[in-house]
Amino acid sequence: MKVRARRLFAFGKAIVALDAAAADDSGDASGAAGPGSRRARQEDDLLAGLLDAPGLAARTSGVVLPAAAWADGGRPRQVRDAGMLAGARADVGSESILADGQAQVSSGLDGLAARLGRLRERGAGFAVWHMTAIAALEQDALHALTVNSQSSARFAYVCQDMALVPVIRLWMRPIGALEPLSREAILAAALISVGGHLEDLGVDLAGVVLGMEPELGNDADPLSAGPLAALPRTLGGVLLAARPHRPATDALAKVRSVHPPWPVTCCLDVKPGVDRAARVRAASIGPAAPVGPIGPVAPVGPVAPVGPVAPVGPVGPAASGGPAPVRAAPVGLALAAVPVTRR
């Protein structure tokens, strides 16, 4: 388990999460979007394009697969054969602990062991639990934080019992406008709460990974004054959230520059669009230019269009006048911007 946790951070590689949809609470690892659904086909196209991207394994240590990909062991096996760990989301979404629908907490503890057991049999090496921290200075938010921390710790406990690496991803859900210092304080409180409950259950912190949005503060040393100062030094690793268009390179560089006691990298969240795998590959490769230690990426030939796609913003210049910007996330470009370190 500790070896797998170290593999997730080998050489500073990134983790890619394909589709952040929750698992299915029915106990079926294939999720709410069945293998034959339109969404499942889109996810599979995106995954196929990702697996075909040149140099993927050189910059990626693990892939969080969509729920439908776990219907059989085919896709997880491909990920493992490419030298990466296959992961799955374990929670089933969120629910409110109040009648007014506020104070959302993560769900999925019922049947968790059986669900994780099926995922492990199909090749999972790690599992992800999404925990939402309400960014508000209210009593209800504090109660929700306690419940969420307890649930996250129970998830980690079950994961380690099954030799899976638990990855707890903490999301800040703002309620109204908050000053940056308030957001940092709430994130620090959430990290302390999670760490405390992990220790209460006797979870081995060296095998636990915590993920969060990079709220690092304005101080030169994020380990002495920012929220990361609340993390135990024995933690297995830290993931900084990143979007496909803007990897958390600045945050990564800032944290790595102060030599943290635990390994740190970023997680790229990619959601499927309406694009075919070929369009995804074309968008992900970008120009034939050096991208760091692994050298230049070779361009691909022109790709035939598959119909109009509404752009959501620029994805960088395309090689040789390639296709127009598409909704697919430029996975290759994002990974190319992640600095690879040899630890």
Side-chain angles (χ1 to χ4, degrees), residues 16-218:
V16 176
L18 295 179
D19 182 34
D24 182 12
D25 62 3
S26 67
D28 183 1
S30 63
S37 69
R38 181 171 178 268
R39 174 176 142 192
R41 291 193 300 271
Q42 293 171 354
E43 292 171 345
D44 195 64
D45 278 348
L46 181 61
L47 178 56
L50 176 69
L51 291 173
D52 289 344
L56 173 70
R59 290 187 173 275
T60 308
S61 59
V63 180
V64 183
L65 297 174
W70 292 97
D72 58 56
R75 288 303 191 191
R77 191 179 307 112
Q78 283 183 282
V79 172
R80 297 197 310 274
D81 290 346
M84 300 172 289
L85 290 173
R89 182 169 172 180
D91 66 284
V92 299
S94 61
E95 59 181 321
S96 176
I97 58 174
L98 298 175
D100 61 6
Q102 298 298 317
Q104 294 288 314
V105 298
S106 301
S107 300
L109 292 177
D110 291 341
L112 176 63
R115 223 164 41 245
L116 290 178
R118 284 189 287 271
L119 290 168
R120 183 186 58 182
E121 292 173 358
R122 295 173 186 178
F126 66 99
V128 183
W129 184 271
H130 284 215
M131 168 185 161
T132 301
I134 301 176
L137 303 176
E138 300 174 355
Q139 190 66 32
D140 291 339
L142 297 177
H143 290 161
L145 176 59
T146 299
V147 174
N148 269 317
S149 300
Q150 292 171 341
S151 300
S152 298
R154 289 177 60 185
F155 155 75
Y157 181 87
V158 176
C159 274
Q160 291 192 345
D161 182 61
M162 295 190 170
L164 294 172
V165 177
V167 178
I168 301 172
R169 296 200 59 183
L170 181 61
W171 299 99
M172 297 290 286
R173 179 169 168 257
I175 303 296
L178 279 179
E179 294 295 328
L181 286 178
S182 296
R183 288 180 58 87
E184 294 166 22
I186 293 172
L187 177 56
L191 295 175
I192 293 173
S193 180
V194 172
H197 284 90
L198 289 171
E199 292 180 346
D200 287 344
L201 289 183
V203 175
D204 184 1
L205 295 179
V208 176
V209 175
L210 283 180
M212 68 206 72
E213 296 167 312
E215 297 278 347
L216 302 181
N218 298 319

Side-chain angles (χ1 to χ4, degrees), residues 8-15 57-61 83 256 265-266 338 340:
L8 283 175
F9 293 89
F11 304 123
K13 295 180 180 180
I15 295 172
R59 290 187 173 275
T60 308
S61 59
R256 288 175 176 171
T265 189
C266 73
V338 176
V340 177

